[in-house]
Every structure is written in structure tokens, then in C-alpha cells.
Amino acid sequence: MQHLVRGCFRGEGYRFATGAFDIARACGWERVARLGSNENPYPPSPLAFARATEALASANRYPDERMGSLVEALEGAFGDYAFVTGAGMDGIIETVIRALIDHGDRVAISTPTFSFYGIATRAQGGILHPVPRNADFTIDGSRIVEESRDAKITFLCTPNNPTGNATPPGVIEEICEEIEGMLFLDNAYVEFSGIDYMPLVRRFDNLIIGRTFSKAYALAGLRVGFACVPAWFEPVFRRAQTPFALNAVSAAAAMGALADTDHVRRIVDHVTAWRKRFAEEIPFPVLPSDANFVLIDVAPMKGDEAVEALARRGVVVRSAAGFPQLGDHYIRVSIGDDWENERFLQETGSL
Ligand code: PMP
């Protein structure tokens, strides 16, 4: 029956960080350092627990399709912008592409970067146009502008996964001023950078900023994403979105997490302190990071070899070899809890 499957779904698909975890388990490690998926190592805020539990009592009802309470909470937290919500930022990305991309339309992506932009573009019949970053992984705004000429959407991730570096807001302005299509700015890791890009949405009607509750807010398992969009795009997004995409329990948890600003500040402080220690103590070149992970150059070893060797020692990290336009000699390591980070430092010293 394989002949029935669309070409874009016959390949490998999204790469999950499960292989290394299986190796660690097979080697008998009961407690594994899980540093492969850029998650928050700490449980969600107690306020998120409380709100989610409360919301379960009404789970017999469909959720409010506009997610009015969550949108209000987002306005309270970030200001008077137009917000849309979805099942993770992945859900937001998919809906934005569905709303704008017809068969054969072009989508530019600044590479190396997060793989889902490409997967979702191909699924929609769009044509992907990779625009490589500079050799040091910074962004050349004029090159993006030049190469995005015919693109309906350009994806730019800041701080970027997997390189970790942020792009200055001035460069984003330059791009928004010049391009004719939309710029989707992926801010999944923005809380760890200290940069606020949102005010730019007031100035540009071609800018969408994607955000997530999966990282700083510690709700990856509940799948809550949101985006700050230009006003004209809000109804378009709603028309393109799967009905009731975000469930009521997750939305309630997100409101709790949003209210607990101390909880977010603690994880940001923890990440900032460990990022510094990683840069100082890892015996390989560590690229400057504004996110909750670092990219490490393990040459002359290959990323895949380093991942396997670490997995055998009970430490799960991600090989960056699968990211197009990046060499095969990098690993991406999330900042975990103190125990996980110490384990990584210990094992990486003997690679
Ligand atoms: N963008 C980037 C850059 C990511 O790294 C991730 C998740 N790893 C996402 C978006 C998706 O986030 P979510 O969990 O909200 O779907």
C-alpha cells in the first residue's frame, strides 16, 4: 500500500532524540542525563498544576475556540498585541504555512536550523529555499532579503536551533523593511536571551513571532504554542487552523505558568549560570549561546560518534549531523539540572 503515500512522507521525517536514550537504557543506566531535546529539566510551576487540575473538571466540554482567557493572559503579560494559540509552536508553524502556501510557493529558511519548517513546507507542496548563514552562523540581513525575493514566508530562528546564537533586532528590522513576503521569527528560546522582539510587530505587518510554553515555562508535554501576529493575519490564521487545536487543560496550565514569573526567572538564572560554566569547562570549542543549549564542535570526532559514546556512559545529547548546512562534527547539548550537567561535564572530559 506504500504507493498511496505522498512522496513527502516516504522519507525519514522528524528526528526524535530517542535512539541515544535506548542505548543508555540498554547499557543498564537507570538514571539517564537527558540533554537531547532542549527541555526544561524542572517540573512546571505549581500554579500550572492547579489550573490544569481545575480545568479537567470541564473536560466534557469543547474548549473556547478563541482561547479567550489565555489570549487575555498573554495580553496581560506581554502587552496589547494580537495573539493566536495552537498545539505547540509546531502547530502554529503548520497553520501559518497552511494559511499562506499554495502548491509551488516558495519558503525561505535560514540554515542550519530547526527541521520542522522544511517538513511542514513540503507537506503543503511548497518549495524550500535554504539560505545559509555566515560561516560563524550569524545572519547577513541583505543576503536574506536578496534570497527571499520570491518567498511567501521566510523562517528565521532566534536564538537559533541548533547554533544557539540570537540575531540582533536591528537585523530583523532591516529584513522586514525589505522583503515582500512574511517573516516568521521563531522565538522558542527567547526567554534565555533577554531580547524582546515583540515591539517590532507593531511596526511591521509582515512579521509573525512564534513562541512556546515548552521551554522556559516547562510545559513541553502539554503542547502549548502562541504567536504574536499582525492584526490582519489573526482571522486568516483562525480560518486555516484545525478546530479546537489547543486543549483546555493545556491552556489552563499555560495561564498558571504565565502567572508564575518567579518560576521562569529561576530557570533562566539556572540556564545562564550553567551556560557560562559549560563554555568554560567543556574541553571542546563551545559556540556562544543565547538559548538553553549549546552547540559543541567535537572534531575530529563525528557528532554521531560522540552521541553514541556519551549514551553508553548514560548521557543523552543530540548529534547535530542531521541538520543540513552544518558539518557532521557537532553535538547539541541542553542545559539540564545540576546532576545532569555535572554528569555531562564528567563524561565529556573522557571522550
Ligand atoms: N521552534 C524551535 C526552534 C524548536 O526548537 C522547537 C522545539 N524543539 C519548536 C519550535 C517547537 O516547539 P513546541 O514544543 O512549542 O512545538
Side-chain angles (χ1 to χ4, degrees):
M1 300 304 278
Q2 287 297 318
H3 65 284
L4 297 178
V5 179
R6 289 175 62 204
C8 58
F9 296 123
R10 285 193 200 142
E12 192 190 8
Y14 188 87
R15 277 198 181 199
F16 297 94
T18 45
F21 194 74
D22 293 342
I23 295 175
R25 275 289 159 84
C27 289
W29 292 93
E30 274 183 15
R31 184 164 177 204
V32 174
R34 295 175 60 162
L35 306 177
S37 299
N38 299 342
E39 294 151 334
N40 193 320
Y42 297 108
S45 153
L47 291 181
F49 272 90
R51 295 293 295 268
T53 311
E54 208 179 288
L56 265 175
S58 312
N60 54 315
R61 302 289 177 196
Y62 281 107
D64 165 17
E65 72 278 9
R66 298 186 72 85
M67 284 288 147
S69 312
L70 177 55
V71 165
E72 237 172 67
L74 291 168
E75 287 165 359
F78 300 113
D80 188 18
Y81 297 97
F83 289 105
V84 293
T85 61
M89 199 203 303
D90 288 341
I92 302 274
I93 292 166
E94 192 167 45
T95 303
V96 168
I97 290 176
R98 195 191 297 172
L100 301 178
I101 299 302
D102 265 326
H103 202 86
D105 282 342
R106 281 162 79 85
V107 173
I109 52 168
S110 157
T111 57
T113 197
F114 184 50
S115 63
F116 190 63
Y117 317 134
I119 294 170
T121 296
R122 280 190 288 265
Q124 194 60 29
I127 295 171
L128 209 58
H129 179 64
V131 185
R133 288 174 168 251
N134 297 326
D136 62 357
F137 304 124
T138 53
I139 290 287
D140 176 348
S142 49
R143 178 161 188 195
I144 298 266
V145 169
E146 189 55 38
E147 302 225 15
S148 295
R149 286 261 172 260
D150 306 321
K152 262 194 167 176
I153 313 175
T154 299
F155 281 95
L156 200 154
C157 187
T158 173
N160 186 41
N161 179 8
T163 57
N165 59 316
T167 300
V171 177
I172 306 303
E173 277 179 58
E174 180 193 336
I175 296 169
C176 288
E177 268 160 17
E178 299 291 331
I179 58 171
E180 281 151 33
M182 298 293 290
L183 180 70
F184 187 104
L185 203 65
D186 181 331
N187 270 184
Y189 301 97
V190 77
E191 295 85 357
F192 307 106
S193 75
I195 304 174
D196 182 6
Y197 295 92
M198 251 188 223
L200 292 175
V201 176
R202 292 201 203 285
R203 288 186 41 209
F204 298 105
D205 64 4
N206 60 352
L207 177 62
I208 296 172
I209 297 186
R211 300 273 301 255
T212 180
F213 280 88
S214 295
K215 312 294 175 183
Y217 294 95
L219 293 179
L222 292 183
R223 317 298 305 122
V224 190
F226 64 101
C228 178
V229 300
W232 70 267
F233 188 67
E234 188 190 330
V236 177
F237 182 94
R238 291 190 193 287
R239 285 197 288 273
Q241 190 172 36
T242 307
F244 309 114
L246 176 54
N247 74 77
V249 175
S250 296
M255 283 185 266
L258 202 55
D260 196 345
T261 48
D262 282 351
H263 197 267
V264 176
R265 191 182 35 76
R266 276 196 298 275
I267 182 66
V268 170
D269 290 349
H270 170 86
V271 163
T272 314
W274 269 104
R275 217 162 51 190
K276 188 160 173 287
R277 264 196 76 184
F278 272 15
E280 287 163 2
E281 295 180 30
I282 291 170
F284 294 98
V286 177
L287 279 78
S289 171
D290 300 291
N292 66 341
F293 59 86
V294 290
L295 190 68
I296 302 170
D297 185 349
V298 292
M301 231 183 309
K302 303 260 189 254
D304 290 352
E305 290 164 6
V307 167
E308 194 175 326
L310 286 165
R312 291 189 190 289
R313 295 164 160 98
V315 177
V316 170
V317 303
R318 167 91 189 249
S319 168
F323 286 92
Q325 272 92 42
L326 185 67
D328 59 3
H329 49 94
Y330 292 97
I331 57 173
R332 194 195 66 192
V333 181
S334 315
I335 288 161
D337 65 21
D338 292 344
W339 179 84
E340 291 174 309
N341 299 337
E342 295 287 3
R343 287 283 300 121
F344 172 70
L345 284 179
Q346 197 180 353
E347 297 301 344
T348 202
S350 61
L351 269 181

